[in-house]
Amino acid sequence: MRSMTLEQLRTASETGGVSSVTLKGQGGAFLAQINTRSGVAAILTKARSSEPRRFGNPAAALNVLREVGITIGQFDASEWNPDEREPVARSSDNRAKALHKAHEAAAYNERLAAEIQEAIDDPRPGIPHDEVMARMDARIVRHKAAGAKRA
């Protein structure tokens, strides 16, 4: 059996190349089996692989098929077992996490922008890089010496 992506199915449907579609239950999911007018049988696959596109909910499969112009088909639930359905993370949970991350990032950006503006507005004269580095090197030497005395 060949594989067919959603775009290929859309094109075949628009050109009249699809003779029938069967939503077939397999384990805990449904697959779309396509028969073409040329006699070739295919299965709907994911866009970037030959892995079958599995629908946990037959209504979702029907919506996809309808969007590509297929409104008449067959249904076979003889091998479907709802107990084998894979648990799916709720999209609202994922959306809440994404929104939380976006809010955290926005708050961080605001704090960072405020700190940068505060530094820009500071009336004190700037300190040259070499002087800052010399001060830091002196601090590091002092801390290492203090640590050596404790040991």
Side-chain angles (χ1 to χ4, degrees):
M1 187 172 290
R2 289 190 166 171
S3 62
M4 186 179 285
T5 66
L6 191 57
E7 285 307 311
Q8 291 169 330
L9 177 59
R10 179 177 281 115
T11 301
S13 175
E14 289 172 354
T15 58
V18 176
S19 62
S20 68
V21 174
T22 302
L23 251 178
K24 183 162 177 61
Q26 186 179 57
F30 287 87
L31 308 176
Q33 293 181 338
I34 302 122
N35 291 318
T36 63
R37 296 225 182 266
S38 64
V40 175
I43 191 154
L44 185 62
T45 60
K46 294 180 178 180
R48 292 179 179 83
S49 75
S50 59
E51 184 179 333
R53 187 167 180 174
R54 302 173 66 80
F55 297 92
N57 181 346
L62 291 172
N63 282 331
V64 167
L65 293 173
R66 185 170 185 208
E67 286 175 10
V68 297
I70 297 172
T71 56
I72 298 173
Q74 297 155 349
F75 195 80
D76 178 358
S78 61
E79 295 179 33
W80 179 59
N81 183 351
D83 295 333
E84 293 181 25
R85 285 184 67 181
E86 295 178 11
V88 178
R90 291 179 25 210
S91 62
S92 60
D93 292 343
N94 294 336
R95 183 70 183 141
K97 288 177 185 175
L99 284 172
H100 182 71
K101 283 184 176 182
H103 286 290
E104 283 180 338
Y108 174 78
N109 287 341
E110 285 179 25
R111 283 192 313 272
L112 185 60
E115 289 176 15
I116 291 170
Q117 190 60 51
E118 184 180 325
I120 291 170
D121 295 342
D122 190 342
R124 295 178 291 177
I127 302 171
H129 175 75
D130 292 339
E131 186 178 331
V132 171
M133 294 309 294
R135 288 181 188 179
M136 292 306 297
D137 288 341
R139 272 185 144 173
I140 291 169
V141 168
R142 281 196 312 270
H143 284 285
K144 282 184 179 179
K149 286 181 186 177
R150 283 189 225 132

